[in-house]
Amino acid sequence: MNIPFLDNWRKRPAATATGAWSDPEGVAQLLSECDLLRDRAERAGVVLGDSPVSLEALDQLLPRWRDDPEELPRLANDAGLYLGTVIVRTVPGARWEPGPEGRPIVVMASGREVDVVAAGQEWADTGTPELSQVYAEVAES
């Protein structure tokens, strides 16, 4: 899906304090939408409550998206953003930051950077690592 507003937002130099990233709550809200993933989860009877338990439920879904080359990248991106949303909302000190090329990453209180979009891509493509496993590893640090 091509959304010009979102494409332009992602291409902006995001590292400035006055840019789109200067509103952490707004960024968190935007990145938490994950409409395609939420729709597919709901259809499968999984409620995404922005919690670690919901990551475990997602890990159990049958990966029907792998049969659709148009849906796979979108769902993978949503999975990564949802993983990031759960981390930011449940791990103290975790926050969204602009990463390479303005792509969102999660930065932990320790300074560790987590490329949640890449983790979502791996999960959607192969099922490993599981989203709940990534969360557990990140939450420990």
Side-chain angles (χ1 to χ4, degrees):
M1 177 163 62
N2 182 12
I3 304 173
F5 142 73
L6 193 53
D7 290 340
N8 290 337
W9 180 78
R10 287 182 178 153
K11 290 177 185 175
R12 292 171 55 187
T16 65
T18 59
W21 293 92
S22 65
D23 177 13
E25 289 181 28
V27 168
Q29 181 63 35
L30 178 66
L31 297 177
S32 72
E33 290 178 1
C34 313
D35 292 334
L36 180 61
L37 180 70
R38 290 181 188 277
D39 179 64
R40 296 302 177 266
E42 184 178 321
R43 287 183 190 186
V46 174
V47 177
L48 298 184
D50 299 349
S51 69
V53 172
S54 62
L55 294 172
E56 293 172 12
L58 283 174
D59 289 337
Q60 301 306 311
L61 291 179
L62 291 175
R64 291 189 172 99
W65 55 84
R66 291 185 191 142
D67 297 331
D68 186 342
E70 289 184 25
E71 185 170 297
L72 178 62
R74 292 177 43 221
L75 190 116
N77 188 66
D78 276 9
L81 295 178
Y82 183 73
L83 171 62
T85 295
V86 173
I87 293 168
V88 168
R89 291 188 176 167
T90 62
V91 178
R95 65 189 183 284
W96 288 106
E97 295 261 335
E101 300 173 11
R103 186 165 89 178
I105 62 170
V106 173
V107 178
M108 308 306 294
S110 66
R112 176 181 176 193
E113 296 180 352
V114 183
D115 188 343
V116 291
V117 174
Q121 183 69 52
E122 290 178 46
W123 174 81
D125 286 342
T126 65
T128 57
E130 292 182 334
L131 298 174
S132 59
Q133 178 185 357
V134 174
Y135 175 85
E137 290 171 6
V138 168
E140 285 180 5
S141 61

